[in-house]
Amino acid sequence: MKDGRKRGRPRAFDAKAALGKARDVFWDKGFAAASLDNLSAATNLNRPSLYGAFGDKEDLYLDTLEGYRQDGMDALAEALDPSLPLRDNLARVYAGALAVYLHGETAARGCLLIGTATVEAVERERVREVLGRSLGDFDGEIEKRMRLAVERGELAEGADPQMLARLASAVMHSLAVRARAGDSRETLEAIARSGVELICGPA
Amino acid sequence: MKDGRKRGRPRAFDAKAALGKARDVFWDKGFAAASLDNLSAATNLNRPSLYGAFGDKEDLYLDTLEGYRQDGMDALAEALDPSLPLRDNLARVYAGALAVYLHGETAARGCLLIGTATVEAVERERVREVLGRSLGDFDGEIEKRMRLAVERGELAEGADPQMLARLASAVMHSLAVRARAGDSRETLEAIARSGVELICGPA
DNA sequence: CATATTTTGTACCGTTTCGCATTAAATTCT
DNA sequence: AGAATTTAATGCGAAACGGTACAAAATATG
């Protein structure tokens, strides 16, 4: 009773690890092209176990998106450490993103949300909701830092924190798309640098 | 002989119009989730006719992407009319894009390339090639205008035309993603305005 | 030890998928 | 008019799809 052991046969797998494997499949193939057989093979779970643990394919996909979103927000908060200059904060955000985006095996994977949820967003309301919320939360977290930067005088007096945050996000969206389109690391890093410079002003 | 009439039974459909109908299907559903039955119904062509005219599903998809890319480049060249100020040029580019992106029925469709080709780019080399080339050509066309702007003194002396062009594109990529994520027209227009201001300087 | 409960694995169901084989129709060339 | 050629339409077929029924296995409870 003390340990949370449930009543029936115990699970023979780690749900968190399985979710990570499923995420990789969705990341490469997208939602529609990822079959339950693909997911079953990658997770080493047979379809009924997958279904029992996570629900149907869309439920599973939404779970992976939600986990990814959470990881992204954690990484963002860390990169935006307010004891560092805004310029460094943004550079860290982009560097962290590129480390994830370029991790592909054949071709770079980009961002799970932008790369795979965007296409499903039109016809699947729940996907659209997660995507919209993820982008909005991301904007909001950067906006908080921008607001602080204005107070501190790191930005011009009349600067609009909300719009600057959205433009900082825009650079990330572009990195995500371009990574998947095959752009080189050097190109992407140059774009990130230029983005920082445009938003924060010349060094 | 003068008219291009071929030898056998003439086609009972307009290939260009059919391609446009197919494009709409791919635009909403993406490549993987669009079935040949969907495409057949939308184009009023039975599957064998589709197959005979355009090849398999990927061929058809690539055809629609190529047509979309061409249309986009035409619109871009028109928006970048060098007799207008750079600021107006960029505003026209974004306004034209939003007119297309927001045209959805239930949810906005965004950009066909960014919204649907990005997800397939990892595992389908031909899609990745078209996407990469499309983004690059778009950047290049804007870069030409940026170069002119530097010569004319519309931009700061040390401005880097290539990087400014890529950042101008980045704003478009973001508009494309956010449209599909459900952002309002007002939000998107505000982002476009702020992008112009950041790149061209305050009015 | 028996019972209840949960997970696992096999096998299967009905549907949808993409692509093509085949035949009928429409046109040009000889 | 008849042969050649191209398109149209029906329909098939093998495979893959998402999802589930069912029985065996593993654990907790009484």
Side-chain angles (χ1 to χ4, degrees), chain B residues 128-147:
Chain B
R128 184 166 67 250
E129 190 276 329
V130 178
L131 178 60
R133 177 160 45 84
S134 300
L135 299 184
D137 287 357
F138 204 91
D139 290 344
E141 189 70 21
I142 302 185
E143 183 183 339
K144 285 195 322 198
R145 182 65 186 83
M146 289 292 182
R147 230 177 270 288

Side-chain angles (χ1 to χ4, degrees), chain B residues 48-69:
Chain B
S49 292
L50 259 181
Y51 199 83
F54 303 106
D56 69 11
K57 195 171 89 156
E58 182 170 319
D59 292 331
L60 173 58
Y61 180 59
L62 290 169
D63 268 6
T64 70
L65 291 185
E66 200 63 57
Y68 180 83
R69 174 187 155 282

